[in-house]
Amino acid sequence: MKSASAYWYRRLDIMDLGKQKGEIERALAPPLVEGERPVHPLLWNLMIVFGVLIYGSYTILIHLCEADGKLPFSSASMVFITEVVKLFLSINFFMYENRGQGFTCPSLRSALPFAIPGVLYCINNNLGVHLQLQMDPATYQVLSNLKILSTAVLYRVIIKRYGGLMAKPGESSAGVIHITWLGLGMISVYSTISGMAGVYTEYILKGKYETSIHMQNGLLYIFGIILNGGIWILGTVRGDESWNLFKGYNVYTWLLVFSQAVIGLIMSAVMKHASNITRLFLISCAMLVTTFLSVLIFHLHLNVFFCASFVLVFVALYLYHTT
């Protein structure tokens, strides 16, 4: 009896030590809590609403750029120009924020962590453009919520917090609800990478919370410029792309570039001063904008299957964000 009692006492001690170890690890983890809003709450909420409108118009603008079912411009070129615009804005914001103060160039060690999200965003931003040819805007926006699953899992792993129909032949316009098998695979990869990029970006932004967000954005966009510029140059050398960087650009392409530059800055502010949960809420609300614009511009006909999935997604989002 004594040996059995001693055995169970030892087991309880081991379990208690394991519990204490877990508590210590959580206590020593980086304090990635939501920071104070950098602006008045009203302005912050207006920024979120503006972000919803921009995010919801992304896929609409790409479909408006289409010519004979194809994109007339290079995705690498478009993303490259967007990264240049974002870097330009970040530099100007940083200069305004630090006017009259000294400037210390960041070390290579502090810059290298931004290479990882730089690669992930490079892949995803180009993939997101080509995804539009595989499905209609409304379906893309609904299925983009798959990134909630990858974000939740990666939140637990990295930050240690819990935080459709197949297309028929000929049905490939933005006014018809459709998705191809290729598009289904692409949106799955897109959502997974998006979750990885979002969680890791929040991790490094908040890991150095005292560092200016404009400095951090600048480092991230420099990697984006190098990667996307390299892809575009490689494509031109191989003969896949034209040496004309702006080939196929029209008014919708430029609207796409500047709107994506603005939403990029908004998302950075959200991840720095709020969290990826707020980011996912913004993305989810964009479903309403995309669906409304699809009906208005492309005369999209909503069927019962889409409406049912739309309602189910919103119910799931409500449960997710309220628990």
Side-chain angles (χ1 to χ4, degrees):
M1 291 292 293
K2 288 184 177 180
S3 61
S5 298
Y7 168 77
W8 285 110
Y9 276 122
R10 287 197 298 272
R11 290 291 299 168
L12 288 171
D13 287 341
I14 292 172
M15 291 172 65
D16 188 56
L17 287 173
K19 183 179 179 181
Q20 292 179 11
K21 181 182 178 183
E23 291 175 350
I24 292 172
E25 288 178 348
R26 285 191 291 272
L28 293 176
L32 301 179
V33 297
E34 293 193 13
E36 295 182 0
R37 302 292 184 265
V39 295
H40 189 276
L42 177 60
L43 293 177
W44 177 267
N45 292 331
L46 287 175
M47 183 191 74
I48 297 298
V49 172
F50 190 53
V52 169
L53 296 175
I54 295 177
Y55 199 93
S57 65
Y58 167 71
T59 179
I60 301 295
L61 289 173
I62 291 183
H63 279 280
L64 288 173
C65 291
E66 282 185 34
D68 299 324
K70 297 181 180 180
L71 294 174
F73 58 86
S74 163
S75 65
S77 163
M78 190 275 289
V79 178
F80 171 75
I81 297 299
T82 303
E83 296 295 309
V84 170
V85 173
K86 288 193 287 188
L87 179 61
F88 174 79
L89 293 174
S90 295
I91 290 175
N92 281 273
F93 289 146
F94 179 78
M95 291 175 63
Y96 178 79
E97 181 183 67
N98 289 270
R99 59 192 183 281
Q101 302 179 18
F103 168 71
T104 302
C105 184
S107 64
L108 181 61
R109 183 177 180 181
S110 63
L112 280 179
F114 290 91
I116 296 176
V119 172
L120 295 175
Y121 283 125
C122 174
I123 297 171
N124 237 37
N125 289 338
N126 284 278
L127 184 61
V129 174
H130 295 285
L131 259 174
Q132 310 308 318
L133 300 179
Q134 306 298 325
M135 64 192 74
D136 63 278
T139 299
Y140 164 80
Q141 203 64 59
V142 170
L143 292 182
S144 289
N145 287 284
L146 289 170
K147 64 184 68 174
I148 292 178
L149 176 61
S150 60
T151 300
V153 173
L154 291 164
Y155 233 62
R156 181 70 181 121
V157 173
I158 297 177
I159 303 184
K160 302 185 185 305
R161 282 169 54 188
Y162 289 103
L165 299 172
M166 295 299 110
K168 297 179 181 180
E171 292 186 351
S172 58
S173 72
V176 178
I177 293 177
H178 71 280
I179 182 172
T180 64
W181 286 107
L182 176 60
L184 192 59
M186 290 171 69
I187 195 69
S188 300
V189 174
Y190 173 84
S191 298
T192 302
I193 297 177
S194 177
M196 294 171 61
V199 173
Y200 188 79
T201 301
E202 179 183 345
Y203 182 79
I204 59 177
L205 286 177
K206 290 180 176 175
K208 296 289 185 181
Y209 196 82
E210 69 283 357
T211 304
S212 169
I213 187 175
H214 307 305
M215 170 67 75
Q216 293 175 315
N217 283 342
L219 295 173
L220 176 60
Y221 301 149
I222 286 173
F223 283 108
I225 289 172
I226 294 172
L227 292 167
N228 288 285
I231 293 174
W232 176 73
I233 292 174
L234 182 62
T236 55
V237 171
R238 293 174 53 185
D240 300 331
E241 309 286 354
S242 168
W243 281 103
N244 179 7
L245 185 63
F246 307 110
K247 180 183 178 182
Y249 279 44
N250 55 31
V251 63
Y252 297 119
T253 313
W254 285 111
L255 282 174
L256 188 62
V257 166
F258 288 109
S259 64
Q260 287 305 292
V262 172
I263 194 63
L265 296 175
I266 291 176
M267 289 298 191
S268 291
V270 166
M271 288 185 281
K272 174 92 171 183
H273 302 291
S275 70
N276 263 282
I277 305 303
T278 306
R279 168 178 166 266
L280 291 177
F281 179 76
L282 185 155
I283 293 171
S284 303
C285 290
M287 285 193 303
L288 285 171
V289 177
T290 303
T291 303
F292 174 76
L293 291 177
S294 294
V295 173
L296 182 66
I297 298 174
F298 302 120
H299 308 292
L300 177 70
H301 298 287
L302 303 178
N303 56 36
V304 64
F305 301 105
F306 179 86
C307 293
S309 63
F310 192 88
V311 171
L312 288 174
V313 168
F314 258 101
V315 170
L317 289 170
Y318 173 78
L319 294 174
Y320 180 80
H321 291 296
T322 53
T323 57

